[in-house]
Amino acid sequence: MTTASGLMLNTTPVPHLLTLLIFLPLAGVGIMTFFRNDSQIKQVAFWTAASEFLLSLALYAWFDPATPRMQFAEVGQWIRTPPIRYALGIDGISLWLILLTTLLTPICMIASWTAIRSRVREFMIALLVMETTMVGVFCALDFVLFYVFWEMMLIPMYLIIGVWGGPNRIYAAIKFFLFTLAGSFLLLIAIIVLFVQGGHTFDIQSLSTVHYSPTLQAWLFWAFFAAFAVKVPMFPLHTWLPDAHVEAPTAGSVILASVLLKMGAYGFLRFSLPMLPHASYRFTPIILTLSVIAVIYGAYMALAQSDLKKLIAYSSVSHMGFVTLGIFVFNTQGVEGAILMMLNHGITTGGLFLCVGLIYERTHSRMIADNGGLAKPMPLYATCLVIFALSSLGLPGTNSFIGEFLVLVGAFLQTKTIAAIATLGIILAAVYLLWMVQRIAFGVPSQKTARLPDLNWCEMASLVPLLILVFWIGVFPNPFLAPMHTSVAHLFDQMNRDAVTSAGIHKSVSSLP
């Protein structure tokens, strides 16, 4: 099987595996229409999502880490004029983001089992549709197909926040929608320009091999930046995130922080760097500066929060600053560290938001002052909270340490000053997270918190998979790093090839080292 650019795509022993992964959640939505009982609807939704996760494990089992080519490929004609194809495939950059998505969806359903009491069917449909769009974004190899999934994702998340959110949910949902829609409009313009300038094709791999003029690259870079930076979110386009997190239900916060934020960083890796290398190098100082500001600003704002969700939301701004920093230092350590940080942030921050949701169901308050001294009445809960907090601050032996270490090594190789400033973000993270843990777990319990019941087996089931990953990646990260080596090396090959062309040295791809 070949793309329009002539690049071979690997196939899979299971035909249409990626199509199955994308549309299996919609099949679950269809099955739900035959049930009226809320309990049955929840079970259908959960087992659909669980089956999706088990099926996605085949991606890792059959993934070939030795080739940079897209794997599990599917290519078919969708629209003839203009030429739009149904093209799917994954590499080492997208593999872990798909597995993270399929893992967290059933966990979110468990977390919503008792928390969501109204319009249960509609809520589960929104989660399953969201899963379809997220997996589709990470699999799409046609720009129009990518954009369709990218935009469709807004609808279920808007509904999750606006229907099942807190008192200010409408404001938060509209703010989220407008910010992301504005960036997506510029993304659409950039896609059309690429179609015209790149040979009248929407094939992502073909467009990545075309040389664009430095001026055009500059305009396209900032159009891409507007769409992807809002999603990350990068400073100063982050203001929608705290509101969305505070108002969203627990499952919405988990999906938003763990997966949706990664779409922006994925966009930089999939489109900005390989298609626009000249502009990426040219504007690196600006991106690195914004990344470091996000690291320090997010951590500083987290220090000032009394609301648990806002604290974690601002910590996400800080940690995603490390991700963009790693991407734009342009070396293997930084990019691989950024990809691993995306996975680790999804695991750790997802766990923290689950912990906030669990205590909110008991006390109906997210304020730190109202939830003190939980170690004695809720030892299991306190243990989980402490582990996720230590992971978030990058304690050696936990998952986040590996990603942050690689990013800082990559930043140090690029510029020692940036690396030194970014290190302050880790120190500040230790301050606000340990301060939070000290008050929540080891503070003085109130009359209300002293009688709270500890986690039950269902609640533990939502946290245990994430706890296992915290220590697995922290102690033995190689199985998670190995699949991305070749894909990251291929990304730099694409960027260097364009640099050679820009310098006026015309060589065939096969003659390049």
Side-chain angles (χ1 to χ4, degrees):
M1 187 179 296
T2 61
T3 65
S5 60
L7 299 176
M8 291 297 297
L9 294 170
N10 291 357
T11 55
T12 171
V14 176
H16 308 296
L17 177 58
L18 294 182
T19 295
L20 287 173
L21 285 172
I22 292 172
F23 294 106
L24 178 59
L26 297 186
V29 171
I31 295 173
M32 265 193 263
T33 60
F34 297 100
F35 296 92
R36 295 288 181 267
N37 183 274
D38 285 349
S39 178
Q40 294 174 328
I41 290 170
K42 292 175 186 176
Q43 292 181 37
V44 170
F46 171 76
W47 287 113
T48 300
S51 301
E52 172 91 346
F53 171 65
L54 294 175
L55 185 63
S56 70
L57 294 178
L59 296 178
Y60 183 81
W62 290 328
F63 187 83
D64 181 5
T67 177
R69 296 177 294 179
M70 290 293 175
Q71 303 183 44
F72 309 102
E74 301 177 38
V75 180
Q77 193 70 38
W78 183 14
I79 300 173
R80 292 192 177 276
T81 306
I84 301 172
R85 303 177 313 149
Y86 177 79
L88 305 174
I90 68 168
D91 61 0
I93 294 174
S94 51
L95 171 65
W96 289 116
L97 297 175
I98 294 172
L99 291 174
L100 178 65
T101 302
T102 59
L103 170 65
L104 288 174
T105 303
I107 289 176
C108 286
M109 290 176 176
I110 295 175
S112 306
W113 208 267
T114 57
I116 302 299
R117 297 181 175 87
S118 64
R119 299 178 179 176
V120 173
R121 182 199 308 275
E122 290 80 0
F123 182 82
M124 294 300 173
I125 288 174
L127 281 182
L128 290 175
V129 172
M130 176 75 71
E131 184 173 27
T132 285
T133 60
M134 292 186 297
V135 175
V137 162
F138 298 131
C139 293
L141 293 182
D142 182 276
F143 242 136
V144 174
L145 184 65
F146 169 85
Y147 189 78
V148 168
F149 285 126
W150 179 274
E151 287 297 278
M152 283 178 58
M153 174 275 305
L154 295 179
I155 300 172
M157 180 51 72
Y158 173 83
L159 294 175
I160 287 174
I161 298 173
V163 176
W164 293 275
N168 296 320
R169 58 186 180 274
I170 302 301
Y171 167 78
I174 292 175
K175 190 174 183 180
F176 159 76
F177 193 87
L178 292 179
F179 264 74
T180 51
L181 187 63
S184 297
F185 176 71
L186 294 176
L187 175 62
L188 179 60
I189 294 175
I191 291 172
I192 295 172
V193 172
L194 283 171
F195 172 77
V196 174
Q197 298 293 324
H200 290 80
T201 179
F202 290 108
D203 179 67
I204 291 173
Q205 290 188 289
S206 295
L207 293 172
S208 298
T209 63
V210 177
H211 171 63
Y212 308 98
S213 70
T215 302
L216 179 61
Q217 286 196 33
W219 284 105
L220 291 173
F221 180 88
W222 290 114
F224 280 150
F225 178 86
F228 302 146
V230 167
K231 276 286 199 300
V232 169
M234 291 184 67
F235 177 91
L237 303 175
H238 66 283
T239 57
W240 62 269
L241 183 66
D243 294 318
H245 273 313
V246 168
E247 300 304 325
T250 299
S253 292
V254 172
I255 292 295
L256 184 61
S258 299
V259 183
L260 263 62
L261 303 191
K262 312 308 180 294
M263 289 183 178
Y266 175 77
F268 285 128
L269 288 168
R270 180 65 73 214
F271 306 118
S272 298
L273 268 60
M275 293 183 184
L276 314 170
H278 182 276
S280 297
Y281 282 120
R282 176 182 173 185
F283 298 119
T284 290
I286 298 176
I287 306 302
L288 294 184
T289 300
L290 292 177
S291 298
V292 171
I293 290 175
V295 169
I296 304 302
Y297 169 83
Y300 181 76
M301 290 298 294
L303 280 169
Q305 303 308 313
S306 56
D307 185 307
L308 278 169
K309 267 198 171 183
K310 275 196 173 182
L311 185 151
I312 301 170
Y314 278 110
S315 77
S316 292
V317 175
S318 180
H319 285 99
M320 292 305 293
F322 278 105
V323 172
T324 53
L325 175 63
I327 292 172
F328 282 90
V329 295
F330 299 119
N331 53 50
T332 301
Q333 295 90 340
V335 172
E336 290 189 358
I339 297 171
L340 191 61
M341 272 205 72
M342 286 193 276
L343 174 63
N344 291 335
H345 179 264
I347 294 167
T348 301
T349 305
L352 286 172
F353 274 120
L354 288 173
C355 287
V356 174
L358 291 172
I359 197 62
Y360 180 78
E361 286 191 47
R362 288 163 167 79
T363 65
H364 303 291
S365 173
R366 294 186 302 267
M367 308 307 291
I368 295 176
D370 297 335
N371 295 291
L374 298 180
K376 186 173 182 180
M378 303 178 66
L380 286 177
Y381 176 86
T383 300
C384 295
L385 180 67
V386 169
I387 291 173
F388 287 127
L390 293 177
S391 169
S392 185
L393 63 86
L395 183 74
T398 62
N399 57 335
S400 297
F401 171 76
I402 305 298
E404 288 183 354
F405 178 78
L406 288 173
V407 168
L408 289 175
V409 169
F412 184 85
L413 295 174
Q414 175 79 355
T415 165
K416 298 177 178 61
T417 302
I418 291 292
I421 297 174
T423 304
L424 296 176
I426 299 178
I427 299 173
L428 291 173
V431 174
Y432 67 74
L433 286 167
L434 292 178
W435 173 78
M436 180 268 291
V437 166
Q438 190 275 330
R439 297 186 66 185
I440 294 291
F442 305 111
V444 179
S446 65
Q447 187 175 6
K448 183 177 181 180
T449 57
R451 298 191 300 269
L452 293 178
D454 206 355
L455 302 181
N456 56 43
W457 68 269
C458 184
E459 293 167 334
M460 282 300 298
S462 67
L463 296 176
V464 167
L466 302 181
L467 293 171
I468 292 172
L469 288 171
V470 164
F471 294 108
W472 185 1
I473 299 175
V475 176
F476 190 47
N478 192 56
F480 300 87
L481 288 168
M484 63 180 79
H485 291 328
T486 305
S487 296
V488 171
H490 179 64
L491 171 64
F492 287 121
D493 286 342
Q494 288 179 295
M495 297 183 68
N496 293 333
R497 191 179 308 138
D498 190 275
V500 168
T501 304
S502 298
I505 304 172
H506 300 288
K507 296 182 179 181
S508 67
V509 173
S510 59
S511 68
L512 290 174

